Amino acid sequence: MELRRLEQTWCLLALLAALITRARPAPNLGLWPLPLSVEMSPRRLLLAPQQFSIDHDPSSKVSRPCNPLQDAFRRYYTYIFYDNKRLQGPAKFENGTQLQQLLVLVTHDSDCNSFPNISSDESYKLNVQGPVSFLSANSVWGALRGLETFSQLIYQDSYGAISINESSIIDSPRFPHRGILIDTSRHYLPVKRILETLDAMAFNKFNVLHWHIVDDQSFPYQSTTFPRGRYSLSHVYTQNDVQMVIEFARLRGIRVIPEFDTPGHTLSWGKGQKNLLTPCYSEEVPSGTFGPINPILNSTYSFISDFFAEISEVFPDEFMHVGGDEVDFTCWQSNPEIEAFMKSSGFEKDFKKLESFYLERLLNIVSSKKKKSIVWQDVFDNKDKLQPGTVVQVWRMEKYSDHEADVTAAGFQVILSSPWYLDYISYGQDWRNYYKVDPLDFSGSQEQKQLVIGGEACLWGEYVDGTNLTPRLWPRASAAGERLWSNENVRDLTDAYDRLTAHRCRMVRRGIAAQPLYVGYCDHQLNV
């Protein structure tokens, strides 16, 4: 009798242990950026590497093979089980419901062979249940965002079991343009670091790499039209390098928008193209120095047309950034030929009119290549003539909300960057300042605010190369990422700190050297 009671007691304890295993609240998962709607149950599902798969839903509209999805299925399977070789987990489970499969359904026509664009639908729905979970999206790009969220729901308990709680998530981004600017002119960035940046962007649901590829200091893009201007023979991006970056980005739902800034920021251009830059004068004698692109020569526009024809073919995105910022008029003012041209053109001594003359012809050239232009706000501020559809990137720090109001009142779309210049370093948790920004916090009508298509976090390269690019970007850029993706009411700094701390550790686990937010540690680093 006593033995039977003992056996009954052990059975009850075993049943209780199984129930506890099945119903346990998830730890702080660090969902980032926070989805639009999250419902999470305490009911837990268990995963094993040999007993779980990610695959197409049989009713999906995607025609197989679909490279972005197939690549993502492999990638996220690795993130779930083998991040830094730490998520192994038991092969079998005595208790608890297993999650055996995630089926991905793309409901509309496939984007498998195309590139993402400004109108791409990134919404998705995720229903986590056992033994089969479902991710549905209207497009491949939405499915990629949903896979990232699914991977963020995975955790490992204190016993080593890989787990996920039953959940229901509905999600879509607040803004369609969520970008990171990198500068490869002031310092050359190895291709490996650019690819690493694209991975981290996908982890944070950014979808635009703004590649400020050339500037005064160097011209590392290896052009078939434009021969030189790089730091050295090894500091170049070959055509193969560029195609590798573009395809790597495409597989992560990220657009690559190149910037070839003119007429200023072009000293490196002159090293390979004779008579492109303006000769500067000192007391009516050539000084031997050069200024911005020479806007009065027909040869200038012949070259620009040929060069932009090339890069329009190389970079598939519908947009091209043509710069137009910080044009120093000093050299133009000193040149007697430009002075004569301005007088004959009726420009008097208004060099902003000369700049407008150049930019109008440049924008017409870009438009003739079937591309739309993005310009820095200087072009708008100088009252240059802009074509309909031109996007203005606001970058000046002072009263940037007023600049947003002015540009949108004129009917142009805006990308906001002013509050997200990550090259400015300050002591402490400066991510909080980036997090507090609201791109729509300016005086204007609802129609004006709809013209704000998003923003970009910018990391200029004066003090950044391959050694410190990643820790300066992440997780500071993550703050801008949530602001551009999540609902405007997601504002709690304490909650954001807790989630971002966990997300930063996840990025480190995935090989991204993101710097810490504050004191503490990551669980996976305990034995390192």
Side-chain angles (χ1 to χ4, degrees), residues 183-194 211 213 218-221 230-238 241 461 464-467 469:
D183 173 6
T184 57
S185 172
R186 274 82 180 204
H187 283 98
Y188 177 85
L189 298 176
V191 173
K192 179 180 178 180
R193 289 288 169 259
I194 297 177
W211 192 352
I213 194 166
S218 72
F219 196 101
Y221 171 73
R230 70 270 176 175
Y231 280 132
S232 74
L233 291 174
S234 61
H235 291 93
V236 296
Y237 300 106
T238 67
D241 291 334
V464 176
D465 66 7
T467 66
L469 169 73

Side-chain angles (χ1 to χ4, degrees), residues 321-323 363 373-377 379-380 386 390-393:
H321 205 303
V322 298
L363 295 179
S373 295
I374 303 175
V375 298
W376 293 108
Q377 75 172 84
V379 179
F380 176 84
L386 298 179
T390 302
V391 178
V392 178
Q393 187 159 358

Side-chain angles (χ1 to χ4, degrees), residues 174-186:
R174 185 182 178 197
F175 294 100
H177 184 114
R178 306 178 306 280
I180 296 291
L181 179 148
I182 59 171
D183 173 6
T184 57
S185 172
R186 274 82 180 204

Side-chain angles (χ1 to χ4, degrees), residues 357-494:
F357 170 81
Y358 168 82
L359 285 167
E360 183 176 352
R361 294 191 67 175
L362 171 66
L363 295 179
N364 284 336
I365 288 172
V366 173
S367 178
S368 73
K369 312 304 178 189
K370 310 300 183 186
K371 297 287 187 179
K372 298 177 182 177
S373 295
I374 303 175
V375 298
W376 293 108
Q377 75 172 84
D378 312 48
V379 179
F380 176 84
D381 293 344
N382 292 341
K383 296 181 171 55
D384 295 334
K385 186 177 180 180
L386 298 179
Q387 295 179 342
T390 302
V391 178
V392 178
Q393 187 159 358
V394 172
W395 70 273
R396 295 192 182 279
M397 307 295 179
E398 69 286 351
K399 298 181 179 179
Y400 62 82
S401 59
D402 291 346
H403 299 312
E404 288 184 282
D406 292 341
V407 175
T408 55
F412 294 104
Q413 292 181 321
V414 162
I415 296 168
L416 179 65
S417 288
S418 303
W420 294 316
Y421 264 44
L422 305 186
D423 46 304
Y424 287 92
I425 303 295
S426 61
Y427 182 78
Q429 300 188 54
D430 56 356
W431 71 270
R432 292 171 175 262
N433 297 326
Y434 308 142
Y435 192 79
K436 293 175 183 177
V437 173
D438 190 328
L440 301 187
D441 187 16
F442 65 92
S443 297
S445 65
Q446 190 60 35
E447 289 74 16
Q448 283 179 255
K449 296 189 176 184
Q450 289 175 351
L451 291 172
V452 179
I453 61 174
E456 289 182 0
C458 302
L459 188 57
W460 297 99
E462 287 87 348
Y463 304 99
V464 176
D465 66 7
T467 66
N468 64 345
L469 169 73
T470 302
R472 283 209 178 180
L473 260 180
W474 312 106
R476 297 163 75 232
S478 303
E482 178 153 291
R483 185 55 52 235
L484 292 168
W485 178 281
S486 300
N487 187 278
E488 61 183 314
N489 296 323
V490 179
R491 312 286 301 179
D492 189 322
L493 274 170
T494 300

Side-chain angles (χ1 to χ4, degrees), residues 309-323:
E310 175 193 328
I311 58 179
S312 295
E313 291 294 324
V314 172
F315 292 91
D317 198 83
E318 63 185 304
F319 283 92
M320 184 175 297
H321 205 303
V322 298

